[in-house]
Each structure stands twice: as C-alpha cells, then as structure tokens.
Amino acid sequence: PARGCGSSAGTPLEPRKRAAAKHLIERYYHQLTEGCGNESCSTSWCASSAGFTRMDNNAAAVKALELYKVNATLCDPHPSKKVTASAYLESNSAGNRKSNHKDVHSVRDNFRDVNYLTEDKVYEILDICGEKEDYSPLIRVLGRVFSSAEGLVQSFRRSKPHTKEELKSLQGKDEDKDEDEKEAAACSAMEEDSPPSSSSSRLGEGSSGGNDVQKLGPDEVSVDIEAVRRVYERLLSNEKIEAAFLNALVYLSPNVECDLTYHNVYSQDLNYLNLFVIVMENSNLHSPEYLEIALPQFCKAMSKLPLSALAKLARLWSHYSTEQIRRMVETFQQLITYKVISNEFSSRNLVNDDDAVVAATRCLKIVYYANVLGGDLDTEHNEDEDEEPIPESSELTLQELLGEERRNKKGPRVDPLETELGIRTNDCRRPLVAFEEFVNEPLNEVLEMDKDYTFFKVETENKFSFMTCPFILNAVTKNLGLYYDNRIRMYSERRITVLYSLVQGQQLNPYLRLKVRRDHIIDDALVRLEMIAMENPADLKKQLYVEFEGEQGVDEGGVSKEFFQLVVEEIFNPDIGMFTYDERTKLFWFNPSSLENEGQYTLIGIVLGLAIYNNCILDVHFPMVVYRKLMGKKGTFRDLADANPVLFQSLKELLEYDGNVEEDMMITFQISQTDLFGNPLMYDLRENGDKIPVTNENRKEFVAQYAEYMLNKSVEKQFKAFRRGFHMVTNESPLKYLFRPEEIELLICGSRNLDFLALEETTEYDGGYSRDSRIIKEFWETLHSFGEEQKRLFLQFTTGTDRAPVGGLGKLKMIIAKNGPDTDRLPTSHTCFNVLLLPEYSDREKLRERLLKAVTYAKGFGML
C-alpha cells in the first residue's frame, strides 16, 4: 500500500485520502516538468517561469514530494497549454475540465482503471500504443502501477483457475470497499490469469489477499517471475518507458519503507514480497540513473523487511541461475562503490553512517545467502561438539564483580539470517558465484576498522558494523578486526590480573610468560603450557612473552616469531611420529598410530591458537580438510583430492568403472593400513567387511566409508584433542564468524606468494637513507637478483618468518635504517619491528657478500 507515515490504517476514508495525495503530487510533478503553459508565470517552482532551472525526472519527483509536504501553491493551467498525459489525468480525476482530443480520450479511457498488470495486459496496451505511435498511455499505466505498492503486489500473478467457491468468498470480502475498488476487485476475480484485487485496507488489516487462492511453499511467491522477465525484456529497450520505471521507483520506495517500518504489512500479507521480486528483475537497476536516488531508497526499503521475509527472498533467489545472482551482486556492489567513491569518508565522516551503503550491504547479504543456498551444499557431515566444556577461569567470580563478564560465554556469534535459513557458509562447497565477488575493495579502503570493531562489539541498533557482513570484507580487513579483538582481550586479561593481585595479594603476572631453553624447546614449552591449560586456561588469552634462556633478546614480537618457528619444526619432525609427511603433496597429516598421548595434540592445538592470537605466522603444511574440520565440518571423499590425491584418484576410477566391479576388482569392505613400524593393520568398513564384496550397487557406500575412515575415524582421538587445544585459545574469538577455512589457513600460514616489488614500494627509510640513496638502489637490485630460497632467508632474517602476512608483502611495513659508514660488520635486524640495520657498504659486491652471510647464518638473539 502506498500510504504515508501519518495515515491511519484501516479507515474507510484512507483510499480516498491517498488518492487525493497522489493526485496533488502528480500535479506538482507536472508543474515542475512541463509547467502551467503561462510564459509570464512567476511561480519559482513552475517550469513555465522565466527563472526556472530545468531538473531531471528524479529531482522533480523528490521536489514534488517536498512541495506537497509544505502545501505549496499550484498554478492554474494556462488556456494555451495543450493537454498532456499528466494534465489529462488531473482533468479526469477532478471532473472539472473537458478535452476535445476524443481520439486520445478513446485510447486512454480504456486503461484508466488498470490498477495492476498482467503480461497480456501489458502487451495489449503496447500494441495499441504502437498503432497510434503514442506510448504515453502505457507510460502512465506503468507509472501508476509501479509507483503503487498495492498495484505492484497484485501484478503478474501466477495463472491458476479459481473455483466458484473461491470467487464467492473473495467477493464477499470486498463489501466494505468504495465503488472503484469493488469494480477493480470484480474485474480481477473474473480474469482467470490474474489474482483478486487487494485494496490497501485488506493489505493493512490482515486479509491474506492472494494467499486465499494460492498456498505457497517456503521457496515460492505468487508472482510469475518468467512473465516479469519477458515484460522487462520488451519494455526496457524503449528509453521513455524505462524512465517510467525509474520515476515510479522513486515514488514507491519511501512508501514501502514506511509500510514496513510502521504498519507491519508483510506479516499481514505475505504477497507483499512480490513487489521486491518484481523490482529486482529490472536488469537496468545498476545503471547510473538509478544510483543517485531510486536504488538507494529501494535498498533502504528492502532492508526493513522482517527476518522471515529476508529468508524467503534468499530461498527464492537460491533457485536463480549464476548469471542472475551475479547481476544482483553487481547491482548492489555498483551502488556501494558509487557512494564510496563519490563521498569523502574519514574517521570524522564514517562510511558506517551512510544509509545507502549500509542498506545496499544488508541487501547484498540476502543475495550472499541465496548464493550459498544455491551452491553445492553439504549440511550433513558436521564434527561433533567437544563433549567436555572448556574449563572456566577461576577468576570468573571476580570478573563478574568488576563488570568484566565474558561477552561470548553463550558461544560464538551467529548471523540471525544464517540461523533462520538453517545453513552455515562453511556448508557450501562451491557457491554459484565465487565468494571473492562479494568483496568490495573501495569500501575496505575507507573503512575505519577500529570504529567498526567497536560497533561490532557494542551491538547497538543505531550503529552498523560491516563486521556483521564479513563477506564484503577482504582477508586483510577481517584480520585487522581480529587483531583488535585479540588485543582488547589481552588488555582485559591484564587488567583483571592486576585487580586480582590487588584484591588477593597474589604475585602480579599480566603476561603469558614462557622461558625456554633453545635445545629443549618442546619439553619446556609444552610442559609449561600444559600446566597453564590445566590450572587456568584464561591465562592463554594473555599476551605471549617468550624468553630464551641465556639470550638477551627482549620479546616485542620477534622472539615469539622464532619460538613458534622452532616449536613447529620440532613438532612436525617425522621422527617424532605425531604426524606423517607425504612427499608428493608436501603436506602433514595426523598419525593414526602415534604413540604420543592426547595431551600432546592438545598442546599443538594451543600453539596454533596462540599463533593466531598473537598475530604470528607458522610454517605448517596441512591439507585444507584440517581447517574445515576446525570450523566444524567432517572430511568427505572430495577432501581426499588434496589430502591423499593417489587414493582419491583410485576411488574415483572405482566410481567411474564401466565393467563388473565385483568380478574384475575383487575388493571387499575390509581395508589395510600400516602402523608406525610398517606392520599391516586390517579394518572393516562394515561388520564382517572381509566377507562383503564391493559391487556396482554398493561402491558409492564403500567410497564414502573409506573416506570417512581415513579423514575422520582413524584420527578421531588425535584430532579432537588438537581441536580442543585450538579452541582453548580461540573459543571467545569471532574467528569462526569472520573467516572461511581457506582464510583460516591464510591467517595461520601466511601467503606463499612473495612479491618483493610490492615490498620495495612500501618500505620506509631512516637514519639518513632515502629511496634515492646509492646503497638503497644497490640493495634492491641485489635482493631482486637472489634466488627463491635466498629471498625466503632474507625475509626470515628481517621479519622472523619466511612467509608474507595476510594481504602479501605489500602489507609488511619494513624499515631500512643506516647503521654507520662502510665497515666489515654484518647487517643486523630487529625482527620485532621489521627493521634492517644496514651499514653504508662501499660497493655492490661487498653489500651482496655481507648480506648473504648475514641471512644464511642468522640464529639467536642478542642486545645491540
């Protein structure tokens, strides 16, 4: 219903009031676009006045609304002015003027009572207009229907024959309507290819409109989408007709927003969703004319839909083709990009406060979940939750007393739309449109992440956080959000510790301190972490501070980096036997026959969690299925493709084999594995598996159970312990909410792509060096001439890791500082701050020799 915010729903006068308001607004619009015809007119907002500045249709529509609100003066039409389409309707509605254009009358009189459209009706009007070569009647009808929520909701309904009982019951509901509405309802009920007319009072007072006729499923709407597409295809090629859609949308959207905000129309008529479906089928929505006013207003209206309606739209759109989903993605992305580029956002003018960007992002979320639902889904293979809850901190009571209760004790945040749909992003193996296409880079560039994170944590209704729509953020931006979350948690733990020590007089220990011997690093680190995990797991959320015994290095980040690297090297040593290493894939996997206890795997999980928590990159090489399992999804046959490609290929050939599997392959439901010492171990995939042959009929079951055993059952004990340790550190983090499995791998392992040209672009200089210094030019020429391994050694020497951070080397802030004149001393580095101290060597050869020696033999920390 196209009513204003101040209307009183359900009163008999309401349709007439709305018609009068619409009539006045049309007169203002006509005056702004065509004028009154009096060349000496002095009204400043009349197109006929001498000083009037012409405006486009969008601006005229907005101005007409403003003039209506202030009850501005209307000109009397001048006798010399020819009757236009707009003036004609005015004349007809007022009943106080006559037209001599009888031929125009005859055409237009046929369509003045058309308040909703069907495909046939559009073609009928189009044919008549084509014969007369005058499309203004069609433009008028389109403008009337597409600017009215009531008309649009009733348009393009799916064809369905009505029974006499249905028609009788529908006619009975129309008794309280005025004469015009009765006539429209009767005409509608008589046509088998269109629904009964639903007046604004019916939409606003609980009548179910078309629902009385059509029982809709959860994915269905009563609109004939194919018919809408055909109509758009025929009409949008005409520029004048296209303008009618544009102007109608400007008029429609504020009324729809008002209906949804104040009148709760969707809950009273589920068919109200039709208008959003119809408008979104317009393939020109992303064109420049729509971006200024029409599309932002429509997005604001759509974002007001209740959760159940958003879910229904997502389910409906999930049946669309990839091209249709991509078109909708591009529509909303275009609006976001346009608004971001055309405004100057900053810390004082936040993009979070731009209504159009926020509304378009919320609408994009609907398409995102439609994209997930329509993709390749696996909702069944989920990891079981940890049986034992992670022990709470002994400081909990004090935290509550100090107002420091843990915000996320209820568990990690889950998007309400995700809950309503009953799916998770991680359920989707392959979406219709790649997830990367939902990322908006211009938005990421202007987003003030510290402010956005604050809005995310506070969860207020009047401040929007883009972290609630993580699909639109790139990995770098999300990583920054995670960094803020981790740091604030560290400060919170530090504050609690200080207060705790004051209250109970205990020794102050605000950091997670690890003092280790370099040659006994595993024993020292894991024993200490095990004690902490048992006594007070909350200490794991303190900032890590590592000290190597006998070395003077102060840990500002660099010592921790080396600590993690050394621990990973030791743990993943195949000689220890906790993990197996595949030479072909260069990947590690849990050793199902390992002699180590579960506690060791728990501690490895803790180390992985600590690395993310302390923003350190690890040199670990797991197949992607490990990260999927950490995010709650079990491994399946397709995960074998990278975890065990040889086995995957063998099982794939088994599935595709054309011959008789039982006779030709002679395999059973019993498989053989080897233990740590090379001894064969037999395992039955089914009870008495050695007696059950694999056949053409049961081979799919055999493959599924083989993959289930290899990726889940055989390592269940080891993986559960590993996951438990990981969650001890990350259980209160928004990690699962923000990141997909492939992004988790990027967080832990960093990027394998090393772009040293990007590093050169972002490097800064200090101590007298500049980009144009001789030594600096020679340094970069030398570094670019290094081989891949030498470049990795340089990165290790300067930053403490041989991997690029999330976003690549361009995100690494390296500083090259002058360390005295020419000398025989080697270059040194502060890995905590990514600073290279470089003496001003006399020539290129000496620079190369000194630099190579430094990066090749670097180990250990000292105080400079």
Side-chain angles (χ1 to χ4, degrees):
R3 56 174 170 263
C5 294
S7 65
S8 172
T11 61
L13 291 175
E14 185 193 38
R16 291 191 180 117
K17 285 180 179 178
R18 193 169 61 258
K22 183 179 177 184
H23 168 65
L24 278 172
I25 292 169
E26 283 180 341
R27 288 187 64 187
Y28 284 121
Y29 179 78
H30 169 71
Q31 187 168 300
L32 288 163
T33 54
E34 299 181 38
C36 65
N38 183 2
E39 294 180 0
S40 59
C41 179
S42 60
T43 308
S44 60
W45 48 83
C46 178
S48 297
S49 66
F52 182 78
T53 305
R54 289 285 172 181
M55 56 181 71
D56 61 26
N57 291 336
N58 277 355
V62 174
K63 184 68 177 174
L65 285 170
E66 291 174 358
L67 293 173
Y68 167 73
K69 288 176 183 175
V70 299
N71 196 23
T73 307
L74 276 166
C75 303
D76 291 325
H78 196 264
S80 64
K81 180 71 177 172
K82 288 180 68 177
V83 177
T84 62
S86 183
Y88 172 79
L89 185 70
E90 175 189 323
S91 162
N92 180 65
S93 302
N96 60 1
R97 287 197 299 271
K98 293 182 179 179
S99 170
N100 295 322
H101 302 279
K102 292 183 179 178
D103 55 333
V104 177
H105 251 294
S106 61
V107 174
R108 289 172 183 168
D109 280 350
N110 292 334
F111 311 126
R112 68 180 182 179
D113 294 329
V114 175
N115 296 314
Y116 66 90
L117 289 169
T118 64
E119 184 179 15
D120 291 341
K121 179 60 71 176
V122 171
Y123 296 158
E124 176 193 336
I125 301 173
L126 188 63
D127 290 343
I128 294 172
C129 291
E131 290 173 10
K132 300 285 184 181
E133 296 185 353
D134 176 14
Y135 289 94
S136 56
L138 176 59
I139 291 170
R140 297 289 300 160
V141 170
L142 291 174
R144 184 164 63 248
V145 173
F146 275 77
S147 64
S148 160
E150 172 193 347
L152 208 50
V153 165
Q154 292 300 316
S155 295
F156 305 108
R157 292 289 185 92
R158 287 208 304 260
S159 300
K160 183 172 180 179
H162 303 152
T163 64
K164 290 181 180 179
E165 290 77 12
E166 286 172 337
L167 291 174
K168 188 176 180 181
S169 67
L170 289 168
Q171 288 166 351
K173 290 184 180 181
D174 293 335
E175 290 175 358
D176 61 341
K177 300 183 182 62
D178 61 59
E179 292 301 315
D180 291 339
E181 288 177 300
K182 283 184 178 180
E183 183 182 349
C187 292
S188 174
M190 297 291 283
E191 292 179 27
E192 289 190 349
D193 63 344
S194 63
S197 175
S198 175
S199 73
S200 97
S201 61
R202 287 178 63 195
L203 284 170
E205 290 187 279
S207 169
S208 57
N211 284 348
D212 290 322
V213 178
Q214 298 185 32
K215 295 294 184 184
L216 302 175
D219 299 357
E220 293 181 318
V221 287
S222 56
V223 64
D224 186 342
I225 297 171
E226 291 301 324
V228 173
R229 287 174 183 166
R230 289 190 294 268
V231 167
Y232 272 127
E233 190 175 353
R234 283 194 64 176
L235 297 184
L236 286 177
S237 57
N238 186 314
E239 288 184 13
K240 291 181 180 178
I241 295 177
E242 183 189 357
F245 289 122
L246 175 65
N247 297 331
L249 190 58
V250 173
Y251 184 84
L252 170 75
S253 299
N255 293 317
V256 172
E257 182 183 356
C258 186
D259 279 342
L260 290 168
T261 306
Y262 300 107
H263 301 295
N264 198 23
V265 289
Y266 177 73
S267 64
Q268 296 159 15
D269 186 349
L270 302 183
N271 287 310
Y272 199 80
L273 205 61
N274 287 7
L275 72 86
F276 295 97
V277 176
I278 292 170
V279 171
M280 283 305 299
E281 288 301 324
N282 185 341
S283 59
N284 285 2
L285 280 180
H286 65 281
S287 58
E289 311 88 72
Y290 285 85
L291 295 179
E292 189 63 44
I293 298 173
L295 187 56
Q297 287 186 347
F298 180 70
C299 287
K300 283 165 69 177
M302 192 191 293
S303 66
K304 300 294 183 183
L305 282 167
L307 187 62
S308 58
L310 299 177
K312 187 164 186 174
L313 270 181
R315 291 192 192 99
L316 171 71
W317 288 342
S318 70
H319 300 294
Y320 282 20
S321 69
T322 301
E323 291 72 27
Q324 289 159 343
I325 292 286
R326 183 174 282 112
R327 177 183 60 78
M328 289 193 284
V329 172
E330 289 171 354
T331 297
F332 295 126
Q333 290 283 35
Q334 194 115 341
L335 174 57
I336 295 168
T337 302
Y338 170 73
K339 289 295 181 182
V340 167
I341 290 174
S342 59
N343 289 284
E344 293 185 7
F345 293 113
S346 64
S347 57
R348 292 180 179 273
N349 179 28
L350 296 175
V351 68
N352 306 67
D353 295 328
D354 189 291
D355 290 342
V357 174
V358 169
T361 304
R362 284 179 165 144
C363 294
L364 188 60
K365 181 190 282 191
I366 310 171
V367 185
Y368 175 78
Y369 280 109
N371 184 53
V372 169
L373 274 171
D376 187 358
L377 280 182
D378 172 18
T379 57
E380 297 177 358
H381 300 91
N382 300 314
E383 288 280 358
D384 298 328
E385 295 295 324
D386 294 319
E387 293 175 8
E388 302 173 38
I390 294 169
E392 289 287 354
S393 165
S394 60
E395 299 169 5
L396 188 61
T397 306
L398 182 69
Q399 285 175 331
E400 289 174 342
L401 287 171
L402 298 170
E404 291 280 344
E405 300 95 333
R406 298 192 186 284
R407 285 185 179 273
N408 296 326
K409 275 195 291 185
K410 292 181 290 186
R413 185 189 295 229
V414 180
D415 191 281
L417 185 54
E418 200 169 88
T419 305
E420 182 77 12
L421 292 168
I423 52 118
R424 298 176 298 174
T425 298
N426 292 328
D427 293 334
C428 186
R429 287 287 193 162
R430 189 175 62 254
L432 293 174
V433 173
F435 288 126
E436 289 75 19
E437 293 190 35
F438 285 84
V439 175
N440 189 288
E441 292 296 346
L443 173 67
N444 280 263
E445 290 172 12
V446 301
L447 186 61
E448 298 286 336
M449 204 58 200
D450 54 343
K451 305 282 197 312
D452 193 83
Y453 172 77
T454 304
F455 303 150
F456 178 72
K457 292 302 287 184
V458 173
E459 296 184 63
T460 59
E461 288 186 9
N462 58 346
K463 284 293 184 181
F464 177 80
S465 168
F466 288 94
M467 284 178 71
T468 60
C469 298
F471 56 84
I472 204 169
L473 305 177
N474 59 33
V476 176
T477 306
K478 287 191 278 192
N479 189 39
L480 190 56
L482 185 66
Y483 172 80
Y484 286 129
D485 188 79
N486 293 342
R487 289 292 153 181
I488 287 172
R489 209 174 297 278
M490 288 176 186
Y491 296 148
S492 176
E493 292 295 341
R494 195 180 305 169
R495 178 169 174 253
I496 288 295
T497 304
V498 171
L499 293 169
Y500 204 87
S501 65
L502 291 173
V503 174
Q504 297 199 353
Q506 293 184 355
Q507 183 180 357
L508 182 63
N509 188 15
Y511 296 96
L512 173 58
R513 288 185 177 273
L514 294 179
K515 187 172 184 178
V516 295
R517 295 166 293 175
R518 193 174 281 274
D519 51 350
H520 292 85
I521 193 166
I522 296 296
D523 295 338
D524 293 352
L526 298 192
V527 166
R528 175 79 179 121
L529 289 173
E530 187 171 20
M531 288 175 60
I532 293 168
M534 290 170 60
E535 294 173 5
N536 193 7
D539 281 357
L540 294 172
K541 297 182 176 68
K542 294 177 180 177
Q543 187 173 349
L544 181 65
Y545 189 95
V546 177
E547 182 183 346
F548 283 106
E549 195 172 276
E551 299 182 20
Q552 296 175 302
V554 176
D555 191 4
E556 293 287 348
V559 182
S560 296
K561 289 178 187 176
E562 179 153 357
F563 162 76
F564 281 119
Q565 185 190 358
L566 294 174
V567 167
V568 166
E569 283 178 6
E570 288 286 330
I571 288 174
F572 288 92
N573 186 337
D575 295 338
I576 293 180
M578 294 183 71
F579 295 90
T580 58
Y581 182 68
D582 189 328
E583 288 287 351
R584 290 163 299 200
T585 61
K586 310 293 184 188
L587 298 173
F588 288 95
W589 183 247
F590 299 88
N591 188 345
S593 54
S594 172
L595 301 177
E596 299 291 340
N597 60 38
E598 292 179 35
Q600 299 294 304
Y601 286 98
T602 300
L603 295 171
I604 295 166
I606 290 174
V607 167
L608 237 68
L610 284 175
I612 290 179
Y613 196 59
N614 289 273
N615 211 31
C616 290
I617 293 170
L618 299 183
D619 186 23
V620 296
H621 303 275
F622 282 131
M624 184 56 66
V625 65
V626 170
Y627 303 104
R628 282 182 55 79
K629 285 166 73 70
L630 279 175
M631 299 293 272
K633 300 300 295 184
K634 284 186 175 181
T636 61
F637 166 62
R638 67 177 70 188
D639 290 305
L640 286 172
D642 67 322
N644 193 332
V646 174
L647 177 59
F648 175 79
Q649 190 59 36
S650 299
L651 294 176
K652 188 179 176 207
E653 289 172 2
L654 170 64
L655 289 173
E656 296 170 350
Y657 187 67
D658 292 331
N660 189 310
V661 171
E662 182 178 0
E663 293 180 3
D664 298 348
M665 297 195 177
M666 300 175 64
I667 51 180
T668 67
F669 272 76
Q670 185 180 72
I671 59 174
S672 173
Q673 297 289 300
T674 56
D675 65 10
L676 196 60
F677 306 104
N679 301 318
L681 295 172
M682 309 308 290
Y683 178 80
D684 286 347
L685 298 176
R686 283 170 57 177
E687 191 175 350
N688 299 319
D690 59 326
K691 299 188 175 84
I692 304 173
V694 177
T695 65
N696 291 56
E697 289 72 32
N698 64 17
R699 58 183 169 182
K700 283 187 179 178
E701 180 191 353
F702 172 78
V703 168
Q705 292 193 5
Y706 202 146
E708 167 70 13
Y709 173 75
M710 293 297 294
L711 298 175
N712 302 312
K713 287 184 178 177
S714 65
V715 296
E716 184 175 14
K717 183 176 67 173
Q718 292 87 340
F719 180 78
K720 276 192 171 180
F722 170 77
R723 184 183 64 189
R724 180 172 168 76
F726 183 76
H727 286 169
M728 277 185 182
V729 186
T730 63
N731 66 319
E732 294 179 0
S733 165
L735 190 72
K736 280 177 112 171
Y737 181 83
L738 294 175
F739 296 93
R740 303 191 306 274
E742 56 269 27
E743 294 174 321
I744 296 286
E745 181 187 30
L746 190 63
L747 275 183
I748 295 174
C749 306
S751 173
R752 298 176 186 179
N753 180 29
L754 301 182
D755 183 358
F756 279 86
L757 289 172
L759 179 63
E760 182 179 356
E761 284 296 316
T762 57
T763 296
E764 297 175 1
Y765 305 94
D766 196 12
Y769 285 156
S770 71
R771 187 180 296 273
D772 298 322
S773 300
R774 174 194 59 83
I775 185 76
I776 295 301
K777 290 180 178 179
E778 291 177 353
F779 166 80
W780 286 113
E781 289 170 5
T782 301
L783 185 60
H784 291 316
S785 70
F786 281 2
E788 191 68 26
E789 188 58 34
Q790 291 170 325
K791 285 180 178 177
R792 289 192 179 279
L793 286 172
F794 168 78
L795 210 55
Q796 177 74 51
F797 171 75
T798 313
T799 68
T801 176
D802 65 352
R803 295 291 189 94
V806 176
L809 287 180
K811 299 297 179 183
L812 188 69
K813 300 300 179 187
M814 190 174 82
I815 299 172
I816 300 178
K818 187 173 182 178
N819 193 23
D822 183 32
T823 178
D824 288 336
R825 285 187 297 123
L826 297 173
T828 51
S829 65
H830 294 308
T831 54
C832 310
F833 307 107
N834 305 327
V835 175
L836 175 67
L837 300 172
L838 186 68
E840 192 170 9
Y841 295 116
S842 57
D843 55 62
R844 191 195 307 264
E845 287 70 27
K846 187 173 184 179
L847 168 66
R848 182 183 180 85
E849 184 268 331
R850 296 280 87 187
L851 186 59
L852 270 177
K853 184 169 286 188
V855 302
T856 306
Y857 299 104
K859 202 165 194 179
F861 290 90
M863 295 293 286
L864 296 175

